[in-house]
Amino acid sequence: MKFIPNITFLRYFFSAGQSKSISRASKENFVSQSAISQAISKLEKTLGKQLITHEKNRFQLTADGLLLLDKCKQIFTVFSEIEDAFNETDSVFKGKLSFACTHSFALSLLPAYLSKLSQTWEKIEPILRFGHTGTIVELVKKGDVDFGIVLDNEDFSLFHSREIYRGEYHLYTAKKFTANAKNKFILSEERKEVSLLKQHFQNNGVEIHAYMEVSSWEVIASLVEQGMGIGFLPDYIAGKRALIPYEYSIPKIPYRILAISPKNRKLSRNAQMFIDLIGQI
DNA sequence: GCTCGGCCATGTCTGAGCAG
DNA sequence: CTGCTCAGACATGGCCGAGC
């Protein structure tokens, strides 16, 4: 074989390419920026290809750099599979576990799951990414995370999915309901569950309008706690907050929280373990 | 309100030198 | 010899005050 790669250099390049910064790569790998820069230069020399544009104060991959980044992703996936295989024979779980979820999930349900994880397998190193559903889907597609945690309000048939939690949407008010909150509905953007709610009111001859449209359930819950209105939320958000169900009964509007991963990629052993663990709680 | 220039923080590259 | 740190140079962008 003509090209014998230095695996440390590839690791540095991969790290810089993923984080789009030599500085961040240096912090991730506990070496200086210079070491990362030199490693990339040596890779370029070995390959005879320019991998980054070498502009001052700007990290940018060339077409060859992007190609190598993709190949590195495959290489390091194989490495983690090898690590998985050895850990499996040792009957232990350790190393990285990366996943993406929404802020609302991270603030509501995730702490209990992570607590259980750290108690059970203390050598697991979770890497968390946050964002809206679209961001999570992109991270999962690109292989930047092992799996994503999403609400089932979109079509995820292109992914392998597993239900990890289920609940219902409800209307909530503050424990101390104020007259100020009456008929002031605080809703998220027009999605399936919001349409169903509006449809129900319409069927009963009541037309409701969002007093306020807020694209974050956490923010809706906080506003409702302040007595600013009636919020429509999944029950896991209301959980530990000073909220009570609104007196007006609505039909069941269920939801499911799913762990999604690409169909063409085997879920890492750590990810499989964590999803199983969530299912047990 | 807008522009300009100075200052500072941040990020990258290069070369010298050191340790294993 | 290889891979690292350190120091210095340089580019860029944000902030802020002065001047118009």
Side-chain angles (χ1 to χ4, degrees):
Chain A
M1 190 168 64
K2 200 175 170 186
F3 165 55
I4 301 172
N6 178 314
I7 206 68
T8 305
F9 293 172
L10 282 177
R11 168 67 77 187
Y12 291 170
F13 168 77
F14 183 53
S15 187
Q18 280 209 312
S19 60
K20 297 183 177 66
S21 160
I22 287 183
S23 295
R24 279 198 284 275
S26 73
K27 289 189 180 86
E28 282 172 19
N29 291 277
F30 306 103
V31 294
S32 68
Q33 295 170 350
S34 182
I36 303 289
S37 177
Q38 287 183 41
I40 293 171
S41 296
K42 283 171 188 169
L43 268 180
E44 287 180 322
K45 206 173 169 185
T46 309
L47 289 163
K49 300 279 184 190
Q50 191 173 331
L51 302 173
I52 60 176
T53 54
H54 295 280
E55 290 169 73
K56 288 275 184 189
N57 207 25
R58 186 158 180 248
F59 183 89
Q60 194 170 13
L61 292 169
T62 61
D64 288 324
L66 286 166
L67 175 70
L68 182 63
L69 186 72
D70 186 51
K71 295 297 174 193
C72 281
K73 199 175 279 179
Q74 295 172 26
I75 291 166
F76 291 114
T77 300
V78 171
F79 279 4
S80 55
E81 282 172 9
I82 293 168
E83 192 183 7
D84 275 2
F86 281 116
N87 286 343
E88 201 165 355
T89 55
D90 291 344
S91 300
V92 294
F93 291 96
K94 60 184 178 183
K96 307 224 180 306
L97 162 69
S98 64
F99 62 95
C101 64
T102 60
H103 283 96
S104 62
F105 183 85
L107 290 166
S108 307
L109 295 172
L110 189 60
Y113 299 149
L114 287 179
S115 170
K116 177 74 176 173
L117 175 69
S118 70
Q119 284 167 22
T120 316
W121 300 108
E122 61 179 19
K123 287 187 177 173
I124 289 284
E125 303 161 33
I127 300 167
L128 281 66
R129 300 277 183 266
F130 303 113
H132 290 293
T133 304
T135 310
I136 296 168
V137 166
E138 280 307 304
L139 289 169
V140 172
K141 270 187 192 168
K142 284 196 283 178
D144 289 343
V145 292
D146 291 337
F147 67 97
I149 297 174
V150 292
L151 229 80
D152 67 342
N153 50 15
E154 284 182 32
D155 177 20
F156 293 111
S157 59
L158 294 174
F159 295 88
H160 177 75
S161 68
R162 184 168 150 191
E163 180 185 308
I164 57 171
Y165 189 90
R166 64 165 62 202
E168 290 168 12
Y169 289 93
H170 293 294
L171 287 167
Y172 290 95
T173 64
K175 279 186 177 167
K176 284 186 179 176
F177 186 69
T178 61
N180 184 42
K182 202 180 176 194
N183 294 331
K184 286 185 173 175
F185 289 90
I186 306 176
L187 307 175
S188 59
E189 63 269 39
E190 192 77 27
R191 283 195 298 242
K192 192 175 69 182
E193 67 276 7
V194 175
S195 301
L196 283 169
L197 178 76
K198 286 183 176 173
Q199 186 66 49
H200 169 71
F201 274 93
Q202 207 173 354
N203 292 345
N204 287 275
V206 183
E207 192 79 23
I208 66 161
H209 296 286
Y211 155 65
M212 209 187 292
E213 186 179 300
V214 180
S215 66
S216 160
W217 283 323
E218 286 297 327
V219 177
I220 293 177
S222 296
L223 294 172
V224 172
E225 270 184 319
Q226 296 299 314
M228 291 186 68
I230 302 155
F232 185 55
L233 301 164
D235 48 12
Y236 78 88
I237 301 284
K240 293 168 189 166
R241 289 174 175 271
L243 301 176
I244 53 169
Y246 182 51
E247 58 200 29
Y248 193 95
S249 78
I250 56 172
K252 283 189 178 181
I253 303 177
Y255 68 85
R256 297 188 307 148
I257 295 177
L258 308 173
I260 59 164
S261 57
K263 275 188 172 169
N264 60 356
R265 206 169 57 233
K266 187 171 174 273
L267 201 58
S268 77
R269 186 167 167 265
N270 286 349
Q272 188 64 59
M273 173 275 293
F274 186 50
I275 293 170
D276 288 344
L277 189 138
I278 291 174
Q280 291 162 16
I281 296 173

